[in-house]
Amino acid sequence: DKAGHKHFMAKEIAEQPTVIGEAVRHYLTQDGTGVKLPGADLDFTKVDRLTMVACGTAFYACLTAKYWFEQLAGIPVEVDIASEFRYREPPISKGTVALFVSQSGETADTLAALRYCEGKADKILSVVNVAESSIARESDIALPILAGTEIGVASTKAFTCQLTVLLMLALKAAQDRGAIKATKCTDLLSKLRALPSVLNETLDCESQLEDTARKLAEAKDILFLGRGLMYPLALEGALKLKEISYIHAEAYASGELKHGPIALIDKHVPVVVLAPKDALFEKSISNMQEVMARNGKVLLITDKPGAKEGGDGVWQTVVLPEIDPVLSPILYAIPAQLLAYHTAVAKGTDVDQPRNLAKSVTVE
Ligand code: M6R
């Protein structure tokens, strides 16, 4: 049932405020000042290292979470693609928690990576959507993301629910380790609680993106740029676009631009710049100007202060609500998804069942 939407993907994008709200409620303590893991016993005090492993979009959720675990909780994090991790046979030191992220819970490479860690890691954690999946069953602790069934092959609500649960887990780790001030933690948790209404507001940017997507549909190559927490999101935006519109898209950390990719820039290559007005904004904008100086067409996705300061001369600007930088990846995922969706619709591709792809990759 598409609930009045043209595609399951559109329905699942629209469901995000609701399902994220449910995920936040599930992991929030009653007084709203802490994180609880219902039915699980986990203490991050003695954790030396976190190893996170996944594929595709779930891998990008892990890359995002690395910033959170390192910056909020001070835990060193390693993130790897499951198909690389499993055959590299990396040493797993004592004090390591291994964390596997998977929507389906059945991805063959992720499951094999989990089995490799059995008996080596101190604890095996998973963040899954399908609670009765193999990955959930074989973990010491399985944390559900509560996104509900996701039918569109391109992951949307599962990604933002993974981000939500991983952020809450990072906050729990930060609290366990005394790495975060109580007031700061309560503030972030209350912003998480308020997130559904900000996400609803964000979904209103759809009409702005629809027009832009029609123009993007004519491009042969598209670049995505981001710094810090926006870098993994740039990767996710490019993946989403490739999957359903079949347009070649690549993402780079903005600072890498001048180490090679800048050679690709000309007036035919749209460049999507994800840049809320955060601590790295000035750096992102100076990279963006390097693109514009070479006639690149910039689509800037930012907030009001960002548009005011950096919007001069750009091809298109999408203005989102202002948000605490820590929570920004969850919000900025929405325009990335909508951009891919409307570009695919403009191209007339099979949005929910893109060619050559399966929802669950149970063979390697
Ligand atoms: O079920 P999983 O989360 O383990 O799946 C991992 C990837 O196959 C998946 O995220 C894939 O990249 C999606 N099609 C992305 O939209």
Side-chain angles (χ1 to χ4, degrees), residues 170-300:
L171 286 171
K172 174 177 164 45
Q175 279 191 318
D176 286 354
R177 298 162 77 86
I180 191 169
K181 283 207 183 102
T183 47
K184 163 97 176 150
C185 191
T186 312
D187 176 53
L188 286 172
L189 289 169
S190 78
K191 285 173 176 159
L192 268 166
R193 252 197 327 226
L195 194 55
S197 74
V198 190
L199 292 175
N200 270 319
E201 212 185 306
T202 308
L203 285 166
D204 292 342
C205 71
E206 182 152 12
S207 55
Q208 286 182 66
L209 286 165
E210 229 178 303
D211 291 341
T212 309
R214 267 193 287 275
K215 294 175 191 133
L216 282 188
E218 288 157 26
K220 286 194 68 158
D221 307 282
I222 299 180
L223 297 184
F224 283 74
L225 298 178
R227 267 181 192 267
L229 283 164
M230 289 296 118
Y231 168 48
L233 201 64
L235 291 163
E236 168 63 3
L239 176 67
K240 217 87 301 174
L241 195 74
K242 276 184 273 218
E243 280 190 296
I244 59 170
S245 76
Y246 314 147
I247 296 175
H248 171 240
E250 291 296 330
Y252 294 96
S254 308
E256 275 292 291
L257 194 65
K258 52 168 79 67
H259 299 285
I262 199 159
L264 297 171
I265 307 289
D266 68 18
K267 63 177 189 303
H268 303 294
V269 184
V271 181
V272 181
V273 178
L274 298 156
K277 179 120 181 31
D278 58 14
L280 299 171
F281 181 76
E282 266 75 41
K283 306 243 174 241
S284 299
I285 292 309
S286 95
N287 297 131
M288 187 185 88
Q289 280 156 352
E290 288 158 11
V291 169
M292 296 199 301
R294 285 155 188 88
N295 295 318
K297 287 200 291 196
V298 170
L299 164 56
L300 173 63

